Amino acid sequence: MKPAWDKLMKEYEDHKEILIADVDCTAEGKSLCDVCGVQGFPTIKYGDPNNLEQYQGGRDFDALSKFAKSNLGPSCSPDHLDLCDAAKKKQIEEFMALPIDDLKAKVKEQEDALEAADKELEQMLKSLQKQYEEATKAKDAKKDAIKEAGLGLMKSVAAYRKKEKGEL
């Protein structure tokens, strides 16, 4: 992926509104990566610098370039109201009218809700993992009981009888 990414960075190096860059999250860039929620490598983020999204597409140059051409650049924001539909403009106006402390509180509330959703999923996955492990143990115990009850010997006897007498 690195060669494709480097080629994409070169393609956009002089662009006035789009930044394609890489950050070493193990060195000087660690604090930026922590703020942006980078948890694994390589991670690709895009969008508003204040609200970066996780890129989920292909990692070859063609996929990256196609995505960049159709998704990167200015988008609806207080700096680019001309790119907003009426509903988003109204939302921005409402947010701009809020006292900054109220706006920060709303941001925190929504971020907490996102974190809670992640934690709910994590708990569900732990529960499912536990159920899976218990079901696997129960299945293995049943299989062992069936085998202990003579399944292997039954198959051997059936094969023997078929071979000896043509019964089955």
Side-chain angles (χ1 to χ4, degrees):
M1 187 189 111
K2 179 82 168 120
W5 189 255
D6 289 343
K7 185 175 176 182
L8 190 67
M9 283 194 311
K10 184 101 175 124
E11 184 176 312
Y12 282 88
E13 70 184 346
D14 295 324
H15 201 283
K16 292 180 179 17
E17 296 180 321
I18 296 175
L19 172 65
I20 309 265
D22 54 18
V23 175
D24 183 352
C25 292
T26 63
E28 308 91 45
K30 184 169 180 0
S31 62
L32 176 62
C33 294
D34 290 344
V35 168
C36 293
V38 174
Q39 297 176 344
F41 312 113
T43 295
I44 299 175
K45 299 271 188 165
Y46 72 96
D48 182 329
N50 298 303
N51 187 33
L52 292 172
E53 308 246 352
Q54 183 89 16
Y55 171 73
Q56 300 292 337
R59 301 296 176 110
D60 61 272
F61 176 76
D62 291 338
L64 292 167
S65 182
K66 181 179 179 184
F67 180 84
K69 284 180 176 78
S70 60
N71 293 283
L72 301 184
S75 60
C76 174
S77 70
D79 288 331
H80 297 284
L81 287 173
D82 57 312
L83 300 175
C84 302
D85 61 25
K88 292 293 181 193
K89 282 182 184 176
K90 184 175 188 271
Q91 252 188 330
I92 289 172
E93 289 169 7
E94 291 170 0
F95 295 149
M96 293 291 286
L98 289 173
I100 191 65
D101 288 340
D102 291 353
L103 182 60
K104 286 180 179 178
K106 285 187 173 288
V107 167
K108 172 102 173 76
E109 179 182 307
Q110 295 301 307
E111 286 176 339
D112 289 349
L114 287 174
E115 191 174 320
D118 286 340
K119 285 183 179 179
E120 286 175 25
L121 177 62
E122 188 177 319
Q123 288 300 317
M124 173 61 76
L125 292 175
K126 284 181 182 178
S127 171
L128 290 172
Q129 181 65 32
K130 183 178 178 186
Q131 290 176 40
Y132 171 78
E133 289 170 1
E134 289 171 356
T136 299
K137 284 180 185 175
K139 174 202 65 146
D140 291 344
K142 286 179 185 176
K143 282 185 166 185
D144 288 345
I146 291 168
K147 289 175 185 175
E148 287 295 318
L151 175 62
L153 289 175
M154 285 182 220
K155 287 180 177 181
S156 292
V157 168
Y160 174 80
R161 289 176 66 181
K162 180 179 178 184
K163 179 177 79 173
E164 290 297 312
K165 298 181 182 166
E167 287 185 13
L168 299 173

